Amino acid sequence: MKKVAFTLLLFLACCRLTAQCPTGDIIFTTQGQIKSFPMNYPGCTHIPGSISIGEQYSWNIINHLDSLSQISFIGGNLNIFNTNLMSLKGLHNLDSIGGNLYVEDNSCLTNLSGLNNLTSIGGYLNMTANTGLTSLSGLDNLTSIGGELFLWANYYLTSLSGLGNLISIGGNMELNTNVLKSVSSLGNLISIGGDLYVNEPCLTSLSGLGNLISIGGDLYLMNTKTLTSLSGLENLTSLGGGLYVTYNHSLTSLSGLDNVDFAATTEMEIFQNPKLALCNVQSVCELFESGGGFPFIFDNASGCDNIYEVKAACLIPTNEAFSVEPPLQIFPNPAGGFLQIQISDPETWDVSLLDLQGRQVWRQQVSGSRTIELKNWPAGLYTIRAVSGASVFSGKIVKQ
């Protein structure tokens, strides 16, 4: 009888120990709540839901995460918002996050030390507006991100140190208005499932992307001040979407894109790169020679100022003369409340208007004539682009 009673007590104790993890999401807004976690949930290592450390849009007095050291797995998201954490020490046993890692508005955080055992993130990695962040050190064992890598407005982030073992990104990779000077820490990155979006004014080089083979979506490169070439992308062979190279002040050459197969490219827009004179790299020439693509090329340096110059540099014969007036009239220019498009040939033209930032503000298929209502449009300079078959025309209009 005593043996039966002892066995029952042991069974109940085991059940109690295995039931110590919370079943829902956890939100910590105070240091006291974090301190109480191991007492409230002794032995809990696997969190099935999400953990939020701090709340968005409110300041949370949280200084350290030492009491969370027993956690090794989070099935949902790990959010760290608006704290005064100086490190993520305390999360050093965490090796996997099933959902997203979202770190936002932590002004005292300089790196991600404490996440050194983390190897995979099932969702996205989002680092936003951490104004003291200088590197991503601490993510040194991270090999895969299932979703997007999004780095935005981390105004002291100069390098991607810490991502040296990252091999794949399932979604987009967006580097946007940080102060990155290089991407040299991404030497093991092989594939990006979505878009590669680079809007980094301080970027000087793309070396570090030498093992990148495929981008599943678009490639955007814009608003760089000192980047002179695309060297570093020589092993990139597959691009699933469009190519957009715009507003790069020092870019002189497309060298680096020589081996890209543009067969699946949906659009190619290369404009407002005032020093870009060399666009006749092998991959671009092969695209033009095959008759594919409808590139939008203008306002670059001589040699790459329009599609005709690029074709000439590629030594591709063309019957199209740049001096010939297009069968397309646009008036009045400057325009006030409306813009009239008049097409004199029987073809249907794909006509689009872009603002000074390169954003498409209007696009339609036009044959014959079309009136565009401009009454509510902001005043300024716009670019008009018209495409029909192999013919491409572009020009400027002024909205008063």
Side-chain angles (χ1 to χ4, degrees):
M1 182 67 183
K2 288 183 179 180
K3 184 176 180 180
V4 172
F6 174 77
T7 302
L8 180 61
L9 287 171
L10 182 62
F11 173 77
L12 291 173
C14 290
C15 289
R16 183 176 184 273
L17 285 174
T18 57
Q20 287 301 298
C21 289
T23 56
D25 296 339
I26 305 170
I27 300 176
F28 297 116
T29 57
T30 68
Q31 190 67 56
Q33 291 171 336
I34 292 176
K35 185 177 180 181
S36 299
F37 179 80
M39 293 181 283
N40 293 335
Y41 302 102
C44 176
T45 60
H46 284 54
I47 306 297
S50 297
I51 294 180
S52 290
I53 300 169
E55 291 182 305
Q56 279 184 302
Y57 317 120
S58 62
W59 186 248
N60 306 274
I61 308 300
I62 297 175
N63 302 312
H64 64 83
L65 305 177
D66 293 351
S67 300
L68 302 182
S69 61
Q70 66 197 54
I71 298 174
S72 62
F73 171 82
I74 298 172
N77 305 326
L78 173 58
N79 305 314
I80 304 174
F81 299 136
N82 289 290
T83 72
N84 51 351
L85 288 167
M86 299 183 70
S87 84
L88 300 183
K89 180 185 175 185
L91 296 176
H92 51 273
N93 286 315
L94 182 64
D95 57 36
S96 179
I97 298 172
N100 308 319
L101 173 56
Y102 191 0
V103 183
E104 179 182 276
D105 282 326
N106 300 279
S107 58
C108 299
L109 198 63
T110 59
N111 57 53
L112 301 181
S113 62
L115 291 176
N116 304 73
N117 279 322
L118 186 64
T119 59
S120 68
I121 298 171
Y124 60 69
L125 170 57
N126 185 322
M127 308 292 297
T128 296
N130 300 285
T131 53
L133 193 69
T134 60
S135 81
L136 301 181
S137 296
L139 292 178
D140 306 79
N141 286 312
L142 184 66
T143 58
S144 67
I145 299 171
E148 179 180 55
L149 171 59
F150 181 84
L151 305 178
W152 180 72
N154 302 287
Y155 295 128
Y156 286 91
L157 185 63
T158 58
S159 82
L160 299 179
S161 174
L163 294 180
N165 285 313
L166 184 63
I167 296 171
S168 66
I169 298 170
N172 301 333
M173 174 174 161
E174 181 166 342
L175 310 177
N176 196 347
T177 57
N178 304 286
V179 290
L180 290 175
K181 294 181 179 179
S182 78
V183 289
S184 59
S185 299
L186 294 175
N188 283 313
L189 184 64
I190 294 173
S191 66
I192 298 171
D195 302 336
L196 173 55
Y197 180 95
V198 181
N199 179 10
E200 291 291 343
C202 300
L203 192 66
T204 61
S205 171
L206 294 178
S207 65
L209 292 174
N211 284 316
L212 183 63
I213 296 171
S214 68
I215 298 172
D218 301 324
L219 171 56
Y220 294 88
L221 180 69
M222 58 186 65
N223 295 318
T224 64
K225 304 294 184 184
T226 56
L227 187 70
T228 59
S229 79
L230 305 187
S231 296
L233 293 175
E234 285 82 2
N235 283 319
L236 181 65
T237 57
S238 175
L239 180 66
L243 174 67
Y244 305 89
V245 181
T246 60
Y247 299 95
N248 299 287
H249 297 268
S250 301
L251 187 66
T252 61
S253 169
L254 294 185
S255 293
L257 295 179
D258 308 68
N259 297 313
V260 178
D261 181 1
F262 284 118
T265 300
T266 53
E267 288 190 351
M268 181 181 290
E269 299 188 358
I270 304 170
F271 60 84
Q272 296 287 348
N273 306 286
K275 296 183 180 179
L276 180 60
L278 197 161
C279 291
N280 58 315
V281 296
Q282 179 180 341
S283 56
V284 172
C285 291
E286 287 176 353
L287 174 69
F288 290 168
E289 195 165 12
S290 70
F294 302 106
F296 187 17
I297 300 174
F298 71 93
D299 280 357
N300 305 303
S302 178
C304 188
D305 196 37
N306 54 68
I307 188 173
Y308 309 102
E309 291 186 356
V310 180
K311 283 187 174 183
C314 289
L315 302 179
I316 298 173
T318 175
N319 294 322
E320 300 163 1
F322 182 61
S323 59
V324 174
E325 287 293 321
L328 182 132
Q329 291 183 317
I330 302 158
F331 57 89
N333 190 14
F338 71 94
L339 185 71
Q340 185 73 30
I341 300 174
Q342 190 74 42
I343 297 174
S344 59
D345 69 14
E347 303 297 325
T348 297
W349 288 72
D350 183 358
V351 182
S352 56
L353 284 160
L354 296 90
D355 65 14
L356 273 175
Q357 284 70 49
R359 296 172 298 202
Q360 184 175 280
V361 294
W362 186 90
R363 181 176 183 178
Q364 284 192 22
Q365 302 292 312
V366 178
S367 59
S369 65
R370 181 68 53 88
T371 300
I372 306 174
E373 176 64 56
L374 303 180
K375 182 179 179 181
N376 296 320
W377 287 34
L381 186 67
Y382 292 82
T383 297
I384 188 163
R385 178 199 187 203
V387 178
S388 179
S391 300
V392 180
F393 299 100
S394 65
K396 306 287 190 192
I397 64 164
V398 176
K399 165 64 170 65
Q400 294 179 327

